[in-house]
Amino acid sequence: MAWTDIQEKLWRARALDGSDKVQLTSDSLEVFLAHWSPDGKQLAIMAKEHNGVWQNYIIDAAGGKPEPLLHEARNAADPGWSADGSKIVFGREPDLMGKETGSHTIQILDLATHQTETVPGSEGLFSPRWSPDGRWIAALTLDQKSLMLYDVAAHHWRQLGSTSAADPVWSRDSKFIYIHAFQADMEPILKVNVLDGSMQPVADLSSFQSAGAVNYFFGGLSPTNLPMVQTHIGTGNLYTLDLNQR
């Protein structure tokens, strides 16, 4: 299992008992998310240096220095693996996260040639996720109100669902996409059928009580497709300032 702590550092440990715990990234790097490679030996991460832009990196699960995938002044986000681990799909983050400039398209990076290609028809989309079987790429519209699905073989996009959506995650059999409907009543995690777009709530985050919780992050699925949720804790203090004293 891999996760980020409150200081946005990336850790990994054995999911069964928490043993073999290792901090994978240095204190100078802020990590937003991480996705395991199909063989479980590497992670693709979205991270940035202090005051830098978001970039995509690959890091060995055993530890080591993160390898940047691109050398750009633009934000790059949401790296995900192809089924064979030879390519990375990624997007550009919404303006609200980093004042992104330029077009917002989904792109694919070939790790062997370091060449990128733009997924046709992907303008205005972000947060791509490649299905484990390689057949589909899911993505969100920039307003996070539609879940889109790309048929890799047919080169065709279609709208799979219309609801507030964040953090799409594929089921292991590639038949469903799980999303966090963060603006819907009860803030459910929805299971979306790839064939017909039908949605089934599988978790209700509004009842997931935690002292001081300000929001929740849907971080992925367990091997049995149980949602894993990370709680963001916030505290507040009140102060007075005497303007007559210096």
Side-chain angles (χ1 to χ4, degrees):
M1 179 182 292
W3 71 95
T4 57
D5 63 18
I6 193 171
Q7 285 83 32
E8 299 178 308
K9 307 301 175 269
L10 179 65
W11 295 76
R12 70 105 173 98
R14 298 187 185 277
L16 182 63
D17 59 6
S19 64
D20 196 20
K21 182 179 177 182
V22 175
Q23 180 177 335
L24 294 178
T25 54
S26 68
D27 292 342
S28 66
L29 204 62
E30 301 173 17
V31 181
F32 184 74
L33 56 76
H35 292 140
W36 287 95
S37 61
D39 62 8
K41 296 181 179 180
Q42 297 176 301
L43 294 114
I45 67 174
M46 174 183 167
K48 70 175 182 176
E49 299 283 352
H50 183 62
N51 292 330
V53 297
W54 290 105
Q55 291 293 310
N56 295 327
Y57 300 81
I58 288 180
I59 189 169
D60 196 289
K65 185 177 181 180
E67 175 190 351
L69 296 181
L70 300 170
H71 298 276
E72 299 181 337
R74 291 189 63 194
N75 289 291
D78 298 299
W81 300 85
S82 62
D84 62 2
S86 68
K87 298 179 180 180
I88 295 288
V89 65
F90 68 97
R92 304 292 178 175
E93 66 179 21
D95 292 344
L96 61 90
M97 284 189 64
K99 302 299 180 184
E100 177 58 30
T101 59
S103 63
H104 291 77
T105 57
I106 305 301
Q107 295 182 291
I108 295 175
L109 171 68
D110 188 307
L111 294 175
T113 65
H114 299 286
Q115 298 297 309
T116 61
E117 60 176 308
T118 299
V119 177
S122 63
E123 180 65 45
L125 302 179
F126 83 113
S127 196
R129 303 288 191 273
W130 213 324
S131 64
D133 64 5
R135 182 179 178 184
W136 314 99
I137 295 175
L140 305 176
T141 53
L142 287 173
D143 61 7
Q144 294 187 259
K145 293 183 178 179
S146 293
L147 174 65
M148 306 296 293
L149 190 68
Y150 181 70
D151 187 319
V152 175
H155 307 289
H156 174 70
W157 288 96
R158 64 183 170 96
Q159 185 184 55
L160 188 60
S162 180
T163 182
S164 62
D167 311 315
V169 177
W170 281 97
S171 62
R172 290 177 178 267
D173 60 8
S174 300
K175 295 181 179 180
F176 302 94
I177 306 170
Y178 292 72
I179 57 173
H180 179 197
F182 63 99
Q183 291 181 335
D185 291 341
M186 314 299 284
E187 294 189 52
I189 292 174
L190 302 176
K191 179 181 179 182
V192 185
N193 189 304
V194 170
L195 295 181
D196 60 16
S198 59
M199 299 184 184
Q200 174 188 353
V202 296
D204 173 5
L205 297 192
S206 68
S207 62
F208 186 56
Q209 300 296 324
S210 179
V214 293
N215 57 40
Y216 307 98
F217 174 69
F218 173 36
L221 297 170
S222 72
T224 57
N225 289 328
L226 292 176
M228 295 185 294
V229 177
Q230 185 178 33
T231 304
H232 290 179
I233 305 297
T235 59
N237 296 296
L238 297 177
Y239 298 88
T240 61
L241 175 64
D242 190 339
L243 297 179
N244 295 318
Q245 294 186 5
R246 297 188 181 184

